[in-house]
Amino acid sequence: MILSIGRLFSAAILCGCCIFVFASFLSIQADAECPEETCSGSLADIIERDTFCVFYTEGDASDYASGILNSDDATSVADMVQEYWDRYVTDFGFAEPLYTGKLEVCVISGGSCNGGTSSSSNRITVNTECFCEINSMKKVIGHELFHRVQYSYD
């Protein structure tokens, strides 16, 4: 299990009650579940991992222009996020991507291959249309997740 300690651990050292705060923080991160409603409430299907949840709309066959993914494509998104997460944190030694509870990864139709995130949200969005171009989904996920790593240092 990967746990994020980020700024809260630093704050705990300053206030002198690091064991209590650190233990409380670990239980919050470890016990976090995917929220039932997120991504503007429009995505009903979820793939849950230890540190993030992928929200999408499932269909028998993928229809990228309509924002529909089959389960294989949705699992691919989750695998790509996990691959980059591990590469950034374990292989390169960066801080964990900034998140609270579990990072929300919203896979939506956006009309083109693109994605987004901001330091004020607990979310990454990626557009289903990125599956239409070879390796574009992987590039966009890696790009957006690295913004989350950058936010950990701000």
Side-chain angles (χ1 to χ4, degrees):
M1 178 183 305
I2 300 171
L3 301 172
S4 175
I5 59 175
R7 293 182 210 140
L8 187 57
F9 184 69
S10 299
I13 292 171
L14 294 175
C15 75
C17 57
C18 64
I19 294 174
F20 173 73
V21 174
F22 183 65
S24 297
F25 181 78
L26 289 180
S27 66
I28 291 169
Q29 294 293 332
D31 296 337
E33 294 183 8
C34 296
E36 290 184 26
E37 188 172 314
T38 188
C39 303
S40 302
S42 60
L43 305 174
D45 300 293
I46 302 170
I47 295 176
E48 185 170 2
R49 297 286 172 94
D50 288 343
T51 53
F52 64 90
C53 304
V54 175
F55 295 87
Y56 68 103
T57 301
E58 186 172 342
D60 293 332
S62 291
D63 179 359
Y64 305 132
S66 299
I68 307 295
L69 296 181
N70 64 33
S71 61
D72 290 341
D73 283 343
T75 300
S76 291
V77 169
D79 292 344
M80 289 177 213
V81 172
Q82 189 68 62
E83 179 183 341
Y84 275 108
W85 195 297
D86 294 342
R87 176 146 316 136
Y88 294 150
V89 175
T90 304
D91 298 346
F92 297 156
F94 289 117
E96 279 200 314
L98 182 64
Y99 70 101
T100 302
K102 290 195 178 197
L103 182 65
E104 301 168 14
V105 179
C106 306
V107 187
I108 60 172
S109 174
S112 65
C113 179
N114 207 342
T117 190
S118 75
S119 60
S120 63
S121 74
N122 192 44
R123 172 181 304 165
I124 289 174
T125 58
V126 292
N127 295 351
T128 53
E129 290 83 359
C130 291
F131 276 112
C132 298
E133 301 172 33
I134 296 173
N135 292 321
S136 290
M137 180 61 80
K138 192 170 189 174
K139 291 175 186 176
V140 170
I141 288 171
H143 175 90
E144 298 306 333
L145 189 63
F146 197 74
H147 283 304
R148 305 298 307 177
V149 170
Q150 291 171 316
Y151 301 151
S152 290
Y153 291 98
D154 290 342

